[in-house]
Amino acid sequence: MTNSMIPYSFIPGTKAKAGEVNANFIALANIIDTNKEIAFENILEIKEILKDKADKDELINNFTVSTAETDLNNYKTPGTYIFSSLYTPLNIPKGESGTLTVSGIEESTIKQIWYCDGEDGEIFTRSYQNSEWSKWNSNTGTITLENPGYLRFPNGLLLQWGKGSGKTTTYPVAFEEIACPLFTKEGCTTTFERSDTGLTAQSLTGFSMNTSGKYHSINWIALGY
């Protein structure tokens, strides 16, 4: 047979020669074996490709950033981005280093999750919709057991406290929208007309107070967000 991998063809009604039939069977067996070998080699090649890809960063979109002051607002491609303190990005919610994960698509919603470095690393999230980033929100809350100290709740509510002898107090963490300080004065006087104590100024970063009575120190708390 011309242009065929099977060497002989037969005419119906004509007796076939045994040698030709055997030659056709041998050729067919060789074709099957060859295809098996090719298929096996293809499988091995595919396995190696998959193994090679599984070991590469681009498959999981895992990147170590090596440029300082890149803007997190520009990170909209899904993946995981690692920042060291040498390459602190702009618009970071807290700290100097951490890991950013990005998911979603710009046509719908993009979500960013920032994981602060450290044993008790805080986690922040925000979303990108209608061409605008939302504010970073803490999902874990943080507490600093010091004087002064603070407790930040996951919903953004911030409670701060302290004790001091000065007339000016600076909060450990600045409030963003509103601060409501309260205090008690340690020390008193029996002269009622000279016992007035109150705030002389307050802001999102602290407050000042004065007294016309006896004054040793104050205990204070401030609540806000």
Side-chain angles (χ1 to χ4, degrees), residues 45-127:
E45 184 178 355
I46 292 172
K47 289 176 65 176
E48 287 300 316
I49 291 173
L50 291 176
K51 181 178 181 298
D52 184 58
K53 285 295 184 182
D55 291 337
K56 290 187 177 296
D57 288 342
E58 61 263 25
L59 187 64
I60 57 175
N61 292 327
N62 187 1
F63 306 97
T64 299
V65 179
S66 57
T67 304
E69 294 188 342
T70 59
D71 194 341
L72 293 187
N73 288 350
N74 296 329
Y75 283 77
K76 300 172 185 175
T77 301
T80 301
Y81 305 87
I82 302 171
F83 297 82
S84 71
S85 58
L86 295 176
Y87 305 108
T88 302
L90 302 176
N91 285 306
I92 185 174
K94 183 179 180 181
E96 297 180 346
S97 60
T99 301
L100 177 74
T101 61
V102 182
S103 60
I105 58 176
E106 189 167 352
E107 292 75 10
S108 177
T109 301
I110 295 175
K111 184 174 183 179
Q112 288 186 343
I113 305 177
W114 175 265
Y115 303 86
C116 294
D117 281 347
E119 292 185 4
D120 301 317
E122 195 170 356
I123 300 174
F124 294 84
T125 61
R126 67 173 180 169
S127 297

Coordinates of all heavy atoms in Angstrom, one line a residue, residues 45-127:
E45 N 6.7 14.6 29.9 CA 7.0 16.0 29.6 C 6.0 17.0 30.3 O 6.4 18.0 30.9 CB 7.0 16.3 28.1 CG 7.4 17.7 27.7 CD 7.4 17.9 26.2 OE1 7.2 16.9 25.5 OE2 7.6 19.0 25.8
I46 N 4.7 16.6 30.2 CA 3.7 17.4 30.9 C 3.9 17.5 32.4 O 3.7 18.5 33.0 CB 2.3 16.9 30.5 CG1 2.0 17.1 29.0 CG2 1.2 17.6 31.4 CD1 0.7 16.4 28.5
K47 N 4.2 16.3 33.0 CA 4.5 16.3 34.4 C 5.6 17.2 34.8 O 5.6 17.9 35.9 CB 4.7 14.8 34.9 CG 3.5 13.9 34.8 CD 3.8 12.5 35.2 CE 4.3 12.4 36.6 NZ 4.5 10.9 36.9
E48 N 6.7 17.2 34.0 CA 7.8 18.0 34.3 C 7.5 19.5 34.2 O 7.9 20.3 35.0 CB 9.0 17.7 33.4 CG 9.7 16.4 33.7 CD 10.3 16.3 35.1 OE1 10.9 17.4 35.4 OE2 10.1 15.3 35.8
I49 N 6.7 19.8 33.2 CA 6.2 21.2 33.0 C 5.4 21.7 34.2 O 5.6 22.8 34.8 CB 5.4 21.4 31.7 CG1 6.3 21.2 30.5 CG2 4.8 22.8 31.7 CD1 5.6 21.2 29.2
L50 N 4.5 20.8 34.7 CA 3.6 21.2 35.8 C 4.5 21.3 37.1 O 4.3 22.2 37.9 CB 2.5 20.1 36.0 CG 1.5 20.1 34.9 CD1 0.5 19.0 35.2 CD2 0.7 21.4 34.9
K51 N 5.4 20.4 37.2 CA 6.3 20.5 38.4 C 7.1 21.8 38.4 O 7.3 22.4 39.4 CB 7.2 19.3 38.5 CG 8.1 19.2 39.7 CD 9.0 18.0 39.7 CE 9.9 17.9 40.9 NZ 10.8 19.1 40.9
D52 N 7.7 22.1 37.2 CA 8.5 23.3 37.1 C 7.6 24.5 37.3 O 8.1 25.4 38.0 CB 9.0 23.3 35.7 CG 10.0 24.5 35.5 OD1 10.9 24.6 36.2 OD2 9.7 25.3 34.6
K53 N 6.4 24.6 36.8 CA 5.5 25.7 37.1 C 5.1 25.8 38.5 O 5.0 26.9 39.1 CB 4.3 25.6 36.2 CG 4.5 25.9 34.7 CD 4.9 27.4 34.5 CE 5.1 27.7 33.0 NZ 5.5 29.1 32.8
A54 N 4.9 24.7 39.2 CA 4.5 24.8 40.6 C 5.5 25.3 41.5 O 5.3 25.8 42.5 CB 4.1 23.4 41.0
D55 N 6.8 25.2 41.0 CA 7.9 25.8 41.8 C 8.2 27.2 41.5 O 9.0 27.8 42.2 CB 9.2 25.0 41.6 CG 9.1 23.5 42.1 OD1 8.3 23.3 43.0 OD2 9.8 22.7 41.6
K56 N 7.5 27.8 40.6 CA 7.8 29.2 40.2 C 6.8 30.2 40.8 O 5.7 29.9 41.0 CB 7.8 29.3 38.6 CG 9.0 28.6 38.0 CD 9.0 28.9 36.5 CE 10.2 28.2 35.9 NZ 11.5 28.7 36.4
D57 N 7.3 31.4 41.1 CA 6.5 32.4 41.7 C 5.3 32.8 40.9 O 4.3 33.2 41.4 CB 7.4 33.7 42.0 CG 8.4 33.4 43.1 OD1 8.1 32.4 43.9 OD2 9.3 34.1 43.2
E58 N 5.5 32.8 39.5 CA 4.4 33.4 38.7 C 3.1 32.6 38.8 O 2.0 33.1 38.5 CB 4.8 33.6 37.3 CG 5.2 32.3 36.6 CD 6.7 32.1 36.6 OE1 7.4 32.6 37.5 OE2 7.2 31.4 35.7
L59 N 3.3 31.3 39.2 CA 2.1 30.4 39.2 C 1.2 30.9 40.4 O 0.0 30.8 40.3 CB 2.5 29.0 39.4 CG 1.3 27.9 39.3 CD1 0.7 28.0 37.9 CD2 1.8 26.5 39.6
I60 N 1.8 31.3 41.5 CA 1.0 31.7 42.7 C 1.0 33.2 42.8 O 0.4 33.7 43.8 CB 1.5 31.0 44.0 CG1 3.0 31.3 44.2 CG2 1.4 29.5 43.9 CD1 3.6 30.8 45.5
N61 N 1.6 33.9 41.9 CA 1.7 35.4 42.0 C 2.2 35.9 43.3 O 1.6 36.6 44.0 CB 0.3 35.9 41.7 CG -0.2 35.7 40.3 OD1 0.6 35.7 39.4 ND2 -1.5 35.5 40.2
N62 N 3.4 35.3 43.7 CA 4.0 35.7 44.9 C 5.3 36.5 44.6 O 6.2 36.0 44.0 CB 4.4 34.4 45.7 CG 4.9 34.7 47.1 OD1 5.0 35.9 47.5 ND2 5.3 33.7 47.8
F63 N 5.3 37.8 45.1 CA 6.4 38.7 44.7 C 7.0 39.3 45.9 O 6.3 39.8 46.8 CB 5.8 39.8 43.7 CG 5.1 39.3 42.5 CD1 3.7 39.2 42.5 CD2 5.8 38.8 41.4 CE1 3.0 38.7 41.4 CE2 5.1 38.4 40.3 CZ 3.7 38.3 40.3
T64 N 8.3 39.4 45.9 CA 9.0 40.2 46.9 C 9.4 41.5 46.3 O 10.2 41.6 45.4 CB 10.3 39.4 47.4 OG1 9.9 38.2 48.0 CG2 11.1 40.2 48.4
V65 N 8.9 42.6 46.9 CA 9.1 43.9 46.4 C 10.4 44.4 46.8 O 10.8 44.3 47.9 CB 8.0 44.9 46.9 CG1 8.2 46.3 46.3 CG2 6.6 44.3 46.5
S66 N 11.2 45.0 45.8 CA 12.5 45.5 46.1 C 12.7 46.9 45.6 O 13.8 47.3 45.2 CB 13.6 44.6 45.4 OG 13.3 44.5 44.0
T67 N 11.6 47.7 45.7 CA 11.6 49.1 45.3 C 10.9 49.9 46.5 O 9.9 49.5 46.9 CB 10.8 49.4 44.0 OG1 11.4 48.6 43.0 CG2 10.9 50.8 43.7
A68 N 11.6 50.9 46.9 CA 11.1 51.7 48.1 C 10.0 52.6 47.6 O 10.0 53.1 46.5 CB 12.2 52.5 48.7
E69 N 9.1 52.9 48.5 CA 8.0 53.9 48.4 C 7.1 53.6 47.2 O 6.6 54.5 46.5 CB 8.6 55.3 48.3 CG 9.2 55.7 49.6 CD 9.6 57.2 49.6 OE1 9.7 57.8 48.5 OE2 9.8 57.7 50.7
T70 N 6.9 52.3 46.8 CA 5.8 52.0 45.9 C 4.5 52.3 46.5 O 4.3 52.1 47.7 CB 5.9 50.6 45.3 OG1 5.8 49.7 46.5 CG2 7.2 50.3 44.6
D71 N 3.5 52.6 45.8 CA 2.2 53.0 46.3 C 1.2 51.8 46.3 O 0.9 51.3 45.3 CB 1.6 54.2 45.5 CG 0.4 54.9 46.1 OD1 -0.2 54.3 47.1 OD2 0.1 56.0 45.7
L72 N 0.7 51.5 47.5 CA -0.2 50.4 47.6 C -1.5 50.7 46.9 O -2.2 49.7 46.5 CB -0.6 50.1 49.1 CG 0.6 49.6 50.0 CD1 0.1 49.2 51.4 CD2 1.3 48.4 49.3
N73 N -1.8 51.9 46.6 CA -3.0 52.2 45.8 C -2.9 51.7 44.4 O -3.9 51.5 43.7 CB -3.2 53.7 45.7 CG -3.7 54.3 47.1 OD1 -4.0 53.6 48.0 ND2 -3.7 55.6 47.2
N74 N -1.7 51.4 43.9 CA -1.5 50.9 42.6 C -1.5 49.4 42.5 O -1.4 48.9 41.4 CB -0.2 51.5 42.0 CG -0.2 53.0 41.9 OD1 -1.3 53.6 41.7 ND2 0.9 53.7 42.0
Y75 N -1.6 48.7 43.6 CA -1.5 47.3 43.6 C -2.9 46.7 43.4 O -3.7 46.5 44.3 CB -0.9 46.7 44.9 CG 0.6 46.9 44.9 CD1 1.2 48.1 45.2 CD2 1.4 45.8 44.7 CE1 2.6 48.3 45.2 CE2 2.8 45.9 44.7 CZ 3.4 47.2 44.9 OH 4.7 47.3 44.9
K76 N -3.2 46.4 42.1 CA -4.6 45.9 41.8 C -4.6 44.6 41.1 O -5.6 44.0 40.8 CB -5.3 46.9 40.9 CG -5.5 48.3 41.6 CD -6.0 49.4 40.6 CE -6.1 50.7 41.3 NZ -6.5 51.8 40.3
T77 N -3.4 44.0 40.9 CA -3.2 42.7 40.2 C -3.2 41.7 41.3 O -2.5 41.7 42.3 CB -1.9 42.7 39.4 OG1 -1.9 43.7 38.4 CG2 -1.8 41.3 38.8
P78 N -4.1 40.7 41.2 CA -4.2 39.6 42.2 C -2.8 39.0 42.4 O -2.1 38.7 41.5 CB -5.2 38.6 41.6 CG -6.0 39.4 40.7 CD -5.1 40.5 40.1
G79 N -2.5 38.7 43.7 CA -1.2 38.1 44.1 C -0.9 38.4 45.5 O -1.6 39.1 46.2
T80 N 0.3 38.0 45.9 CA 0.9 38.2 47.2 C 2.1 39.0 47.1 O 3.0 38.6 46.3 CB 1.1 36.9 48.0 OG1 -0.1 36.2 48.1 CG2 1.6 37.2 49.4
Y81 N 2.3 40.1 47.8 CA 3.4 41.0 47.7 C 4.0 41.2 49.1 O 3.4 41.5 50.1 CB 3.0 42.4 47.2 CG 2.3 42.3 45.9 CD1 0.9 42.1 45.8 CD2 2.9 42.4 44.7 CE1 0.2 42.0 44.6 CE2 2.3 42.3 43.4 CZ 0.9 42.1 43.4 OH 0.2 42.0 42.2
I82 N 5.3 40.9 49.2 CA 6.0 41.0 50.5 C 6.9 42.2 50.5 O 7.7 42.4 49.6 CB 6.9 39.7 50.6 CG1 6.0 38.4 50.6 CG2 7.7 39.7 52.0 CD1 6.8 37.1 50.5
F83 N 6.8 43.0 51.6 CA 7.6 44.2 51.8 C 8.4 44.1 53.0 O 7.9 43.8 54.1 CB 6.6 45.4 51.9 CG 5.8 45.7 50.7 CD1 4.6 45.0 50.5 CD2 6.1 46.6 49.8 CE1 3.8 45.2 49.4 CE2 5.3 46.9 48.7 CZ 4.1 46.2 48.5
S84 N 9.7 44.4 52.9 CA 10.6 44.5 54.1 C 10.6 45.9 54.5 O 10.2 46.8 53.8 CB 12.0 43.9 53.7 OG 12.6 44.8 52.9
S85 N 11.3 46.1 55.7 CA 11.4 47.5 56.2 C 12.3 48.4 55.3 O 12.3 49.6 55.4 CB 11.9 47.5 57.6 OG 13.1 46.8 57.7
L86 N 13.1 47.7 54.5 CA 13.9 48.5 53.5 C 13.1 49.1 52.4 O 13.6 50.1 51.8 CB 15.0 47.6 53.0 CG 16.1 47.1 53.9 CD1 17.0 46.1 53.2 CD2 16.8 48.2 54.6
Y87 N 11.9 48.6 52.1 CA 11.1 49.0 51.0 C 9.7 49.3 51.4 O 8.7 48.8 50.9 CB 11.2 47.9 49.9 CG 12.6 47.6 49.5 CD1 13.1 46.3 49.8 CD2 13.3 48.5 48.7 CE1 14.4 46.0 49.4 CE2 14.6 48.1 48.4 CZ 15.2 46.9 48.7 OH 16.4 46.6 48.3
T88 N 9.6 50.1 52.5 CA 8.2 50.4 53.0 C 7.4 51.1 52.0 O 7.9 52.1 51.4 CB 8.4 51.3 54.3 OG1 9.2 50.6 55.2 CG2 7.0 51.6 54.8
P89 N 6.2 50.7 51.7 CA 5.4 51.3 50.6 C 4.6 52.6 51.1 O 4.5 52.8 52.4 CB 4.4 50.2 50.2 CG 4.2 49.5 51.5 CD 5.5 49.5 52.2
L90 N 4.1 53.3 50.2 CA 3.2 54.4 50.6 C 1.8 53.9 50.8 O 1.4 52.8 50.3 CB 3.2 55.4 49.4 CG 4.5 56.1 49.0 CD1 4.3 57.0 47.8 CD2 5.1 56.8 50.2
N91 N 1.0 54.6 51.6 CA -0.4 54.3 51.9 C -0.4 53.0 52.7 O -1.4 52.2 52.6 CB -1.3 54.2 50.7 CG -1.6 55.6 50.2 OD1 -2.1 56.4 50.9 ND2 -1.3 55.8 48.9
I92 N 0.6 52.7 53.5 CA 0.6 51.5 54.4 C -0.3 51.8 55.6 O -0.2 52.9 56.1 CB 2.1 51.2 54.8 CG1 2.1 49.9 55.6 CG2 2.7 52.3 55.5 CD1 3.6 49.4 55.9
P93 N -1.1 50.9 56.0 CA -2.0 51.2 57.1 C -1.3 51.3 58.5 O -1.7 52.1 59.3 CB -3.0 50.0 57.2 CG -2.3 48.9 56.5 CD -1.4 49.6 55.5
K94 N -0.2 50.5 58.6 CA 0.5 50.6 59.9 C 1.9 49.9 59.8 O 2.0 48.9 59.0 CB -0.3 49.9 61.0 CG 0.3 50.0 62.4 CD -0.5 49.3 63.4 CE 0.1 49.3 64.8 NZ -0.8 48.6 65.8
G95 N 2.9 50.3 60.5 CA 4.2 49.7 60.5 C 5.0 50.0 59.3 O 4.7 51.0 58.6
E96 N 6.1 49.3 59.2 CA 7.1 49.5 58.1 C 7.2 48.4 57.2 O 7.8 48.5 56.1 CB 8.4 49.9 58.7 CG 8.5 51.2 59.5 CD 9.8 51.4 60.1 OE1 10.7 50.5 60.1 OE2 10.1 52.6 60.6
S97 N 6.8 47.2 57.6 CA 6.9 46.0 56.8 C 5.7 45.1 57.0 O 5.0 45.1 58.0 CB 8.2 45.2 57.1 OG 8.2 44.8 58.5
G98 N 5.5 44.2 56.0 CA 4.4 43.3 56.1 C 4.1 42.6 54.7 O 4.9 42.7 53.8
T99 N 3.0 42.0 54.6 CA 2.6 41.3 53.4 C 1.2 41.8 52.9 O 0.3 41.9 53.7 CB 2.5 39.8 53.7 OG1 3.8 39.3 54.1 CG2 2.1 39.0 52.4
L100 N 1.1 42.0 51.6 CA -0.1 42.4 51.0 C -0.7 41.3 50.1 O 0.0 40.8 49.3 CB 0.1 43.7 50.2 CG -1.1 44.3 49.4 CD1 -2.1 44.9 50.4 CD2 -0.6 45.2 48.4
T101 N -2.0 41.0 50.3 CA -2.6 40.1 49.3 C -3.7 40.9 48.6 O -4.4 41.7 49.2 CB -3.3 38.9 50.0 OG1 -4.3 39.3 50.9 CG2 -2.2 38.1 50.7
V102 N -3.8 40.7 47.3 CA -4.8 41.4 46.4 C -5.6 40.3 45.7 O -5.1 39.3 45.2 CB -4.0 42.3 45.4 CG1 -5.1 43.0 44.5 CG2 -3.1 43.2 46.1
S103 N -7.0 40.6 45.7 CA -7.9 39.7 45.0 C -8.9 40.5 44.3 O -9.2 41.7 44.7 CB -8.5 38.7 45.9 OG -9.2 39.3 46.9
G104 N -9.7 39.9 43.3 CA -10.7 40.6 42.6 C -10.3 41.2 41.3 O -9.1 41.1 40.9
I105 N -11.2 41.9 40.7 CA -10.9 42.6 39.4 C -11.4 44.0 39.5 O -12.4 44.3 40.2 CB -11.6 41.9 38.2 CG1 -13.1 41.8 38.4 CG2 -11.0 40.5 38.0 CD1 -13.9 41.2 37.3
E106 N -10.8 44.9 38.7 CA -11.1 46.3 38.8 C -12.5 46.7 38.3 O -13.1 47.6 38.8 CB -10.0 47.1 38.0 CG -10.1 48.6 38.2 CD -8.9 49.3 37.7 OE1 -7.9 48.6 37.3 OE2 -8.9 50.6 37.6
E107 N -13.0 45.9 37.4 CA -14.3 46.1 36.8 C -15.4 45.9 37.9 O -16.5 46.4 37.7 CB -14.6 45.3 35.6 CG -13.7 45.6 34.4 CD -12.3 45.2 34.5 OE1 -12.0 44.4 35.5 OE2 -11.5 45.6 33.7
S108 N -15.1 45.2 38.9 CA -16.1 44.9 40.0 C -15.6 45.4 41.3 O -15.8 46.6 41.7 CB -16.3 43.4 40.1 OG -17.2 43.1 41.1
T109 N -14.8 44.6 42.1 CA -14.3 45.0 43.4 C -12.9 44.4 43.5 O -12.7 43.2 43.2 CB -15.2 44.6 44.5 OG1 -16.5 45.1 44.4 CG2 -14.6 45.0 45.8
I110 N -11.9 45.2 44.0 CA -10.6 44.7 44.4 C -10.5 44.8 45.9 O -10.9 45.8 46.5 CB -9.5 45.6 43.7 CG1 -9.6 45.4 42.2 CG2 -8.1 45.1 44.3 CD1 -8.6 46.3 41.5
K111 N -10.0 43.7 46.5 CA -9.8 43.7 48.0 C -8.4 43.5 48.3 O -7.7 42.7 47.7 CB -10.6 42.6 48.6 CG -10.6 42.6 50.1 CD -11.5 41.5 50.7 CE -11.4 41.5 52.2 NZ -12.3 40.5 52.8
Q112 N -7.9 44.4 49.2 CA -6.5 44.3 49.7 C -6.6 43.9 51.2 O -7.4 44.4 52.0 CB -5.8 45.6 49.6 CG -5.4 46.0 48.2 CD -4.5 47.2 48.2 OE1 -4.5 48.0 49.1 NE2 -3.9 47.5 47.0
I113 N -5.6 43.0 51.6 CA -5.5 42.6 53.0 C -4.0 42.8 53.3 O -3.1 42.3 52.6 CB -5.8 41.1 53.2 CG1 -7.3 40.8 52.8 CG2 -5.7 40.8 54.7 CD1 -7.7 39.4 52.9
W114 N -3.7 43.6 54.4 CA -2.4 43.9 54.8 C -2.1 43.2 56.1 O -2.9 43.4 57.1 CB -2.2 45.4 55.0 CG -0.8 45.7 55.5 CD1 -0.5 46.0 56.8 CD2 0.4 45.8 54.8 NE1 0.8 46.2 56.9 CE2 1.4 46.1 55.7 CE3 0.7 45.7 53.4 CZ2 2.7 46.3 55.3 CZ3 2.1 45.9 53.1 CH2 3.0 46.2 54.0
Y115 N -1.1 42.4 56.2 CA -0.6 41.7 57.4 C 0.6 42.3 57.9 O 1.7 42.2 57.3 CB -0.4 40.2 57.1 CG -1.5 39.5 56.4 CD1 -1.7 39.5 55.1 CD2 -2.4 38.7 57.2 CE1 -2.8 38.8 54.5 CE2 -3.5 38.1 56.7 CZ -3.7 38.1 55.3 OH -4.7 37.4 54.7
C116 N 0.5 43.0 59.1 CA 1.7 43.6 59.7 C 2.6 42.6 60.2 O 2.2 41.5 60.7 CB 1.3 44.5 60.9 SG 0.2 45.9 60.4
D117 N 3.9 42.8 60.1 CA 4.9 41.9 60.6 C 4.9 42.0 62.1 O 4.5 43.0 62.7 CB 6.3 42.3 60.1 CG 6.6 41.8 58.7 OD1 5.8 41.0 58.2 OD2 7.5 42.3 58.1
G118 N 5.4 41.0 62.8 CA 5.5 40.9 64.2 C 4.7 39.8 64.8 O 3.8 39.2 64.1
E119 N 4.9 39.5 66.1 CA 4.2 38.3 66.7 C 2.7 38.6 66.8 O 2.0 37.6 66.6 CB 4.8 38.1 68.1 CG 6.3 37.6 68.1 CD 6.7 37.3 69.5 OE1 5.9 37.4 70.5 OE2 7.9 37.0 69.7
D120 N 2.3 39.8 67.1 CA 0.9 40.1 67.2 C 0.5 41.0 66.1 O -0.1 42.1 66.2 CB 0.6 40.8 68.6 CG 0.9 39.9 69.7 OD1 0.6 38.7 69.6 OD2 1.5 40.4 70.7
G121 N 0.9 40.6 64.9 CA 0.7 41.5 63.7 C -0.8 41.8 63.5 O -1.6 40.9 63.4
E122 N -1.1 43.0 63.3 CA -2.4 43.5 63.1 C -2.8 43.2 61.6 O -1.9 43.3 60.7 CB -2.6 44.9 63.4 CG -4.0 45.4 63.6 CD -4.1 46.8 64.2 OE1 -3.1 47.3 64.6 OE2 -5.3 47.3 64.3
I123 N -4.1 43.0 61.3 CA -4.5 42.7 59.9 C -5.5 43.8 59.5 O -6.4 44.1 60.3 CB -5.2 41.3 59.8 CG1 -4.2 40.2 60.2 CG2 -5.7 41.1 58.4 CD1 -4.9 38.9 60.3
F124 N -5.3 44.4 58.4 CA -6.1 45.5 57.8 C -6.7 45.1 56.5 O -6.1 44.3 55.7 CB -5.3 46.8 57.7 CG -4.8 47.4 58.9 CD1 -3.6 47.0 59.5 CD2 -5.5 48.4 59.6 CE1 -3.2 47.5 60.7 CE2 -5.1 49.0 60.7 CZ -3.9 48.5 61.3
T125 N -7.9 45.6 56.2 CA -8.5 45.3 54.9 C -9.1 46.6 54.4 O -9.4 47.5 55.1 CB -9.7 44.3 55.0 OG1 -10.7 44.8 55.9 CG2 -9.1 42.9 55.5
R126 N -9.2 46.7 53.0 CA -9.9 47.8 52.4 C -10.3 47.3 51.0 O -9.8 46.2 50.5 CB -9.0 49.0 52.3 CG -7.8 48.9 51.4 CD -7.1 50.2 51.2 NE -5.9 50.1 50.4 CZ -5.3 51.2 49.9 NH1 -5.7 52.4 50.2 NH2 -4.2 51.0 49.1
S127 N -11.2 48.1 50.3 CA -11.7 47.7 49.0 C -11.6 48.8 48.0 O -11.6 50.0 48.4 CB -13.2 47.2 49.1 OG -13.3 46.1 49.9

